[in-house]
Amino acid sequence: MAKTGTTTQGLRAAIERSGYYPTLVAEAVQAAVGGEPVVSYLVHQETTFDANEVRRHVTVLVLTDTRFIVSHTDEQAADATSPSPYATTSTESVKLGRISSVVLSRVVANPESYTPGQLPREVVLTIGWGAVARLDLEPASCGDPNCDADHGYTGSSTADDLSLRVSEAGDGPDSVRETLAFAQALSEATAATTSTR
């Protein structure tokens, strides 16, 4: 379930509607946002299955005039380190000028009959700011099938700080729309920050 909007009160209400430890999540997010006005936000809850356990996770993304804030909250069952179940909440605050990429991948059914404004059946929002990068390497070759020389390695580095997948089937059409709206607001904000540097 994703919820998006543009006010601090709306953000709090969306966190409460998610029903996922709302007091804990809201306090962590509010502490990170501080006194800045909220430009846009997205609350996304995911449920995963781990062996015989159901685990929930909520991601809250907040855009202010100067920062992008991401909060993750996970629940854990009792284990050797804790006799009772517990939750872990983390927040990260990133200056808009540090965001290096906002990638929005859309999956559209029946592309031959696509019409403007048609809702994708799935979107993946990937945001990079340089905290985490994925490096994919493979042996390089020269194209000569008879060459046995060592040509070193070739590869690519991909910024992969945050990736959020939202589907119409799993999350509902409103969640897809809300993710598209947040992605647009974030893209516009980073473009504006780049042009003022």
Side-chain angles (χ1 to χ4, degrees):
M1 170 192 313
K3 297 291 172 203
T4 190
T6 58
T7 67
T8 303
Q9 295 83 5
L11 171 58
R12 176 67 190 229
I15 291 170
E16 288 177 4
R17 277 192 307 274
S18 78
Y20 185 80
Y21 306 121
T23 305
L24 173 67
V25 173
E27 181 178 280
V29 171
Q30 185 55 51
V33 171
E36 280 194 85
V38 172
V39 173
S40 186
Y41 62 83
L42 179 67
V43 178
H44 183 257
Q45 184 177 329
E46 298 173 86
T47 302
T48 58
F49 300 93
D50 182 17
N52 295 331
E53 296 180 19
V54 176
R55 294 197 180 189
R56 297 180 300 164
H57 172 90
V58 69
T59 301
V60 180
L61 308 179
V62 180
L63 175 63
T64 71
D65 286 332
T66 62
R67 297 178 298 145
F68 166 66
I69 297 159
V70 58
S71 173
H72 295 287
T73 304
D74 292 289
E75 63 184 356
Q76 306 293 328
D79 57 24
T81 64
S82 176
S84 60
Y86 60 97
T88 305
T89 299
S90 64
T91 57
E92 183 172 1
S93 177
V94 181
K95 290 182 181 178
L96 286 178
R98 284 197 48 219
I99 294 179
S100 56
S101 67
V102 178
V103 180
L104 185 66
S105 300
R106 302 168 188 239
V107 177
V108 178
N110 304 313
E112 69 281 354
S113 59
Y114 177 80
T115 57
Q118 180 180 332
L119 196 63
R121 72 175 191 205
E122 177 180 312
V123 293
V124 178
L125 175 60
T126 305
I127 304 165
W129 57 89
V132 178
R134 184 179 64 238
L135 188 62
D136 296 317
L137 294 175
E138 62 184 44
S141 64
C142 66
D144 179 356
N146 298 319
C147 180
D148 60 358
D150 182 358
H151 294 285
Y153 289 88
T154 186
S156 62
S157 176
T158 307
D160 198 15
D161 295 305
L162 174 76
S163 189
L164 190 70
R165 178 183 172 269
V166 179
S167 71
E168 185 178 22
D171 303 293
D174 288 343
S175 295
V176 174
R177 275 188 207 89
E178 292 158 358
T179 304
L180 292 170
F182 183 83
Q184 181 174 348
L186 182 60
S187 291
E188 290 171 357
T190 56
T193 300
T194 303
S195 66
T196 59
R197 280 195 228 168

